[in-house]
Amino acid sequence: MRINNFLVDRRSMRDYRIKGLDPEVLDNIRKLLKELENEFKDGTFEFRLYENGQLIFNGLEGIAGYSGVMIESPHYIALDLKKNDDRTNIYSAYYMEKLVTKLIELDLATCWITVNDVDVNLKKELFGESTNQINFILAFGYPKRNNPFSKTPFSERIGVEEMVYYKEIGQHITLEYLEQIGLADTFYYLRFAPSIKNLQPWRFIVTDDKVHLLIKCDEGNNPSLVDAGIAMYYFEELQALQGTKNNWSLLEGDFTEGGIKYKYIAEYQL
Ligand SMILES: Cc1cc2nc3c(=O)[nH]c(=O)nc-3n(C[C@H](O)[C@H](O)[C@H](O)COP(=O)(O)O)c2cc1C
């Protein structure tokens, strides 16, 4: 499926059939995990697949996920960071979301689960002594059959005008201009990217030959690097769909505007 249609239909699944996947399918997923790890040359993160989801679910029930609402699935994949720098946090999320697109192609469903507040010792007990830093895991499996009478839940998204600015934060950008520089479709579809608590913290500043990605920091002034990595993945894919095959380059720096802190994440040459 083309990545633009994929994004519009992409949903987090919180209701799985508990039956596990065939061993053959799990083996193919293990191969896929290795391929994606190797694509990121730094080697600073690892995917770890846990076949016995029941064990992980029992250990994290009431503790992990939003307000302790753990999601039950037959298997999980943990994202283990061997280095806790910005680059690893950003690109591990980039590849985790790339993994999500591959799993959905296999007719599976997924949901990111936040585990960063879970006690380190409990995480070592559940995920293994040799793990380093696990902030997020992925529930995956076959979705429960949808009730044909209920609508698929949809999480609202902000408009392009709240996300994309011209030359500086707050400066309006016109649709005509975005069309002229070939970014109108990319931003239209990018809004459907998933983010923690659906906060959609991505902000873009467009100049005549570049796009800057910034993250609007939370109340504690922390930027969500994982949301940045996910948006970077989809932005590159959406641009590639239109024949532009550039990659983001990471940037440093931050500034405060209207009492809100923004962190520079990366720039993309048009
Ligand atoms: C990094 C990340 C962490 C997330 N953590 C959780 C979580 O702990 N529990 C949960 O139910 N959903 C979690 N989600 C799913 C988001 O809430 C969801 O993507 C967002 O609300 C948009 O909804 P949609 O994915 O159905 O479009 C997470 C998503 C991301 C990207």
Side-chain angles (χ1 to χ4, degrees):
M1 190 193 275
R2 285 157 65 94
I3 200 79
N4 50 3
N5 298 327
F6 170 89
L7 258 173
V8 176
D9 289 340
R10 185 203 178 286
R11 297 279 186 285
S12 298
M13 172 54 60
R14 298 185 176 87
D15 208 3
Y16 292 88
R17 280 194 246 161
I18 290 312
K19 184 184 171 316
L21 306 186
D22 286 344
E24 210 179 298
V25 179
L26 283 171
D27 276 347
N28 285 337
I29 293 174
R30 282 193 190 90
K31 281 188 207 136
L32 177 63
L33 298 181
K34 280 281 155 249
E35 278 168 29
L36 291 172
E37 276 170 21
N38 293 338
E39 235 180 275
F40 184 55
K41 303 275 180 285
D42 298 23
T44 50
F45 75 84
E46 204 177 310
F47 291 120
R48 290 170 175 261
L49 192 153
Y50 296 86
E51 211 169 315
N52 185 350
Q54 192 71 56
L55 210 67
I56 304 285
F57 177 75
N58 291 344
L60 293 178
E61 196 181 3
I63 299 172
Y66 302 153
S67 316
V69 181
M70 178 59 187
I71 291 155
E72 186 168 17
S73 66
H75 315 292
Y76 297 91
I77 292 167
L79 182 54
D80 188 19
L81 309 189
K82 296 185 204 165
K83 204 173 166 187
N84 196 12
D85 58 349
D86 285 5
R87 186 173 163 79
T88 305
N89 275 283
I90 292 169
Y91 278 102
S92 60
Y94 176 110
Y95 284 104
M96 180 86 135
E97 188 61 25
K98 185 163 184 177
L99 168 65
V100 166
T101 63
K102 305 280 176 203
L103 294 177
I104 294 177
E105 272 172 24
L106 296 174
D107 288 332
L108 297 169
T110 67
C111 188
W112 285 76
I113 304 170
T114 310
V115 298
N116 52 355
D117 287 340
V118 175
D119 177 73
V120 176
N121 293 324
L122 175 60
K123 282 198 267 195
K124 291 249 178 223
E125 203 179 294
L126 294 171
F127 297 114
E129 273 303 318
S130 63
T131 54
N132 303 285
Q133 174 139 5
I134 298 178
N135 298 327
F136 299 97
I137 62 175
L138 193 71
F140 72 102
Y142 291 111
K144 274 211 178 131
R145 209 173 286 285
N146 283 333
N147 174 350
F149 297 102
S150 75
K151 284 198 180 146
T152 324
F154 172 73
S155 308
E156 287 301 325
R157 295 301 198 270
I158 55 175
V160 172
E161 67 287 355
E162 277 180 74
M163 183 175 93
V164 187
Y165 298 99
Y166 183 59
K167 290 193 175 165
E168 58 185 75
I169 288 287
Q171 188 142 305
H172 181 67
I173 195 156
T174 64
L175 180 60
E176 292 70 28
Y177 181 68
L178 286 176
E179 272 169 356
Q180 200 183 314
I181 58 172
L183 286 175
D185 279 358
T186 293
F187 284 129
Y188 173 80
Y189 289 107
L190 194 63
R191 299 178 304 130
F192 296 98
S195 57
I196 300 180
K197 296 189 176 154
N198 201 28
L199 288 174
Q200 308 163 63
W202 342 277
R203 298 293 177 268
F204 297 87
I205 297 181
V206 179
T207 54
D208 296 330
D209 58 350
K210 272 187 198 137
V211 178
H212 283 126
L213 166 63
L214 301 97
I215 288 288
K216 182 180 167 192
C217 296
D218 63 15
E219 285 152 9
N221 276 343
N222 297 309
S224 172
L225 300 178
V226 64
D227 290 332
I230 294 171
M232 283 161 62
Y233 168 65
Y234 283 122
F235 186 97
E236 285 181 5
E237 291 292 319
L238 287 163
Q239 283 293 96
L241 194 63
Q242 300 187 57
T244 308
K245 290 213 160 113
N246 284 349
N247 299 111
W248 290 97
S249 313
L250 297 189
L251 287 178
E252 294 282 333
D254 52 55
F255 66 92
T256 301
E257 172 79 43
I260 296 169
K261 185 174 161 194
Y262 295 88
K263 176 173 167 52
Y264 276 108
I265 300 291
E267 71 176 19
Y268 184 98
Q269 195 78 37
L270 290 173

